[in-house]
Amino acid sequence: MTLLIHVLACAFGLGSWVAVNGLWVELPLIVNTLPEGWDLPSYLTVIIQLANLGPLLVTLMHKLYPGRLKESVVIYCILSIGVLACILLAFFWRETTIVAGALHSTAFFILTFFLSLVDCTSSVTFLPFMMQLPAKYITTYFIGEGLSGFIPGVVALAQGVGMAKCVNASANLTDGNSWYLQTEYLPPNFSTGVFFFFLAAMMCISLAAFIALNRLPRTYELSTENLVTDTVPSVSSGLENPGVETNHGREKSHGGEAAQSRPVQAKHSVYQLSFIYFLVVWVNGATNGLLPSVQTYSCMPYGNLAYHLSAALASVANPVACTIAMFFQNRSLVFLGLLAVLGTGFGSYNMAMAAMSPCPLLQGSAAGEAIIVLSWLLFTGTLSYVKVMVGVILRDRSHSALVWCGAAAQMGSLVGSITMFPLVNIYRLFQSGDFCNTECPLW
C-alpha cells in the first residue's frame, strides 16, 4: 500500500505545472506559425499572470468562508479543465481571428489562459490536499511536481525542431520574375498537435491518481509533522489554508516531541529580511516576466535549434536545480546574493542579445549558439536554486513569512511581465529578423 501511495502521489504532482511548462518548450515550433511571431512569449507572460485570479479566489474563499471550500472539488474541476483545454489546443491552436484590425491567435490565448488558471490554482489546492497524507508522501509529491517540468522538456527534445534551410523562391513582377531566398523549416519528428495530446495524457494521469488518492481508505493517521521538514516546499504555495492551523494545533498538543521535529526558527534583522524579499521579487520578476518575454529575440537569430534547446533545457534545469536544493542546502545570504548576481549576469547577456536582435554577437557560428543555450540554462538553474532556498528560509521563519514570500513572488512576476509587454509590442525595442534574409555585420 505504501508503494502504491508513493506512485499515486508522484503521478498527482505531474499535473501541477505540466501544461504551462509544456507550452513554453513548444514555443520554438509555434512562433513560426502563429501571427504574433516573436512577440508571442510576451503575450504568454501576461496571460499567465492574469491566471493568478484562480489562487486569489481560492484564498479569499478560505478567508471569508473558512472550511466551506472543499479542495477535492476544486481539484476535480481544474484537472478536468486542464485535460479539456489540452485536447482543444491540439485541434484549434492554429485558429486565428481579426482583433483591432490585426490577426491574433485568440483560440491559443483563451486556452492558454485556462491552462494557466489550472496550474496557478494547483499551487493553493494540491498541497492542502496532500497534507491529509503522512508527511513522507509530500516528498514524492514534490518529485512529481519537478517531473511536470522535466518530462515535457525531454519530450520536446525527442520531438526535435524544424531545422531551417534557405531555398530559392520567385515572385511574379510586372517586369519579370524576381528571385529571393526564403526560409523553409523542416518538419519535427511529430507535430505540435501530438505534443498537446501528450500533455492531455499527463493531465489524465494526474486526474486518475487524484481520484485514487481521494478514494483510498483513511486507515492511517493524518500527518502531525511540519510540512516536509526534509524537502523543499513549493515557493508559490505559501497561501493560507485551514489545514495549516489544524496541523499546527496538533503539533502543540505533542509538546516537546513536535518542537524537536521542527527546525529552529531563524533570526533575521530588518535589513536581512528586506534583502530576502528583494531577492524573491527580483528573481521571480526576471525568471517569470522580464527574460521569458524576449527569449525569442535572444535565441531565434541563432536559429530554431538554439531556441529549441534553450527552451527545453531551461525547463529541465528548473527541476534539476530544485532537486539539488533538496540535498545541498546553503542558506547563507551572502552565497545566495552572489548566486543571484551570477544568474543576473547570465540574464543580462540574454537580454543584451535580445536587444541586438536580429544581429547578436557570434551569429551564424557554433560558438554563438552554444553560448546562448548555456547562458539560458545557467540563468534558469542558478535563479531557480535561489528561489527555492529563500522559500526554505522563510518557511522556517513562520507561516506568515511564507505567505508574504508568495505575494512577493507574484508581485515580481506581474511587474516583470507588465513592464516588458509594452516594450516588446508597443515601443518595438526588439526587432525580429529572417534567418535567410537578414544581413548582419561580422563581429
Side-chain angles (χ1 to χ4, degrees):
M1 177 63 78
T2 300
L3 178 60
L4 174 62
I5 298 176
H6 276 298
V7 172
L8 292 175
C10 182
F12 177 50
L14 286 178
S16 54
W17 285 94
V18 66
V20 168
N21 288 326
L23 285 175
W24 280 110
V25 299
E26 193 66 7
L27 277 183
L29 293 178
I30 295 175
V31 294
N32 295 321
T33 303
L34 296 184
E36 289 77 15
W38 291 18
D39 296 341
L40 190 61
S42 63
Y43 283 90
L44 293 191
T45 55
V46 174
I47 290 172
I48 291 171
Q49 295 310 311
L50 292 176
N52 281 302
L53 175 67
L56 177 62
L57 291 176
V58 170
T59 306
L60 287 176
M61 284 293 294
H62 281 310
K63 285 290 189 183
L64 299 177
Y65 305 100
R68 297 279 294 275
L69 184 67
K70 296 185 180 299
E71 273 86 12
S72 58
V73 176
V74 178
I75 294 171
Y76 274 123
C77 291
I78 63 174
L79 286 177
S80 300
I81 291 172
V83 172
L84 181 60
C86 286
I87 293 174
L88 291 176
L89 265 177
F91 290 106
F92 301 111
W93 69 274
R94 289 173 177 265
E95 298 299 319
T96 57
T97 55
I98 296 177
V99 179
L103 207 59
H104 285 288
S105 312
T106 47
F108 182 77
F109 289 154
I110 292 171
L111 293 172
T112 296
F113 172 78
F114 282 105
L115 284 179
S116 304
L117 189 68
V118 170
D119 289 0
C120 292
T121 309
S122 73
S123 298
V124 293
T125 53
F126 282 22
L127 272 178
F129 172 78
M130 288 301 298
M131 287 174 64
Q132 301 176 36
L133 306 179
K136 61 183 179 181
Y137 298 115
I138 306 289
T139 306
T140 314
Y141 167 80
F142 282 124
I143 292 173
E145 190 176 82
L147 290 176
S148 71
F150 181 82
I151 293 177
V154 171
V155 172
L157 289 174
Q159 182 184 20
V161 65
M163 298 293 292
K165 66 176 182 178
C166 300
V167 296
N168 287 321
S170 64
N172 292 322
L173 302 177
T174 55
D175 56 349
N177 290 339
S178 175
W179 293 90
Y180 65 96
L181 287 178
Q182 179 178 320
T183 305
E184 184 177 289
Y185 294 97
L186 301 179
N189 295 327
F190 52 88
S191 68
T192 297
V194 172
F195 184 83
F196 286 136
F197 276 124
F198 168 77
L199 294 184
M202 289 190 67
M203 295 294 292
C204 286
I205 291 172
S206 180
L207 177 58
F210 171 70
I211 294 172
L213 284 172
N214 201 36
R215 296 192 176 188
L216 281 175
R218 297 295 193 266
T219 55
Y220 41 76
E221 290 185 10
L222 298 184
S223 173
T224 58
E225 300 174 30
N226 189 32
L227 182 62
V228 197
T229 57
D230 58 344
T231 57
V232 179
S234 173
V235 174
S236 61
S237 62
L239 297 173
E240 290 187 23
N241 58 74
V244 173
E245 294 186 2
T246 304
N247 279 352
H248 182 64
R250 287 179 185 148
E251 283 178 2
K252 282 185 176 180
S253 67
H254 283 267
E257 211 177 285
Q260 289 176 3
S261 66
R262 252 191 209 168
V264 178
Q265 191 178 71
K267 300 295 182 182
H268 297 101
S269 66
V270 175
Y271 298 106
Q272 288 174 322
L273 277 178
S274 299
F275 176 69
I276 290 171
Y277 282 112
F278 168 77
L279 281 182
V280 174
V281 173
W282 170 248
V283 169
N284 282 276
T287 56
N288 298 336
L290 295 175
L291 271 301
S293 298
V294 295
Q295 189 172 14
T296 42
Y297 295 96
S298 176
C299 300
M300 282 293 280
Y302 295 99
N304 233 35
L305 179 61
Y307 183 22
H308 180 74
L309 290 176
S310 297
L313 293 179
S315 179
V316 171
N318 192 310
V320 169
C322 294
T323 303
I324 292 173
M326 289 175 65
F327 301 102
F328 302 99
Q329 296 189 2
N330 190 328
R331 306 187 185 203
S332 167
L333 295 184
V334 174
F335 173 77
L336 294 178
L338 291 175
L339 201 61
V341 170
L342 181 63
T344 301
F346 291 121
S348 299
Y349 178 82
N350 299 338
M351 183 66 77
M353 296 305 100
M356 296 173 69
S357 175
C359 298
L361 295 175
L362 301 175
Q363 186 195 35
S365 68
E369 294 180 27
I371 291 172
I372 196 66
V373 171
L374 187 62
S375 181
W376 272 98
L377 181 66
L378 294 175
F379 163 73
T380 305
T382 52
L383 295 191
S384 293
Y385 183 90
V386 174
K387 277 196 285 189
V388 172
M389 289 314 304
V390 294
V392 171
I393 291 171
L394 294 174
R395 178 204 65 182
D396 290 347
R397 181 174 178 82
S398 68
H399 179 259
S400 61
L402 197 57
V403 173
W404 283 106
C405 175
Q410 296 300 334
M411 182 180 71
S413 302
L414 181 63
V415 170
S417 59
I418 290 179
T419 300
M420 293 306 299
F421 187 83
L423 297 181
V424 173
N425 297 282
I426 298 176
Y427 297 106
R428 298 290 176 185
L429 297 185
F430 304 90
Q431 300 297 319
S432 60
D434 184 83
F435 182 77
C436 296
N437 296 305
T438 301
E439 295 184 3
C440 293
L442 296 175
W443 296 102

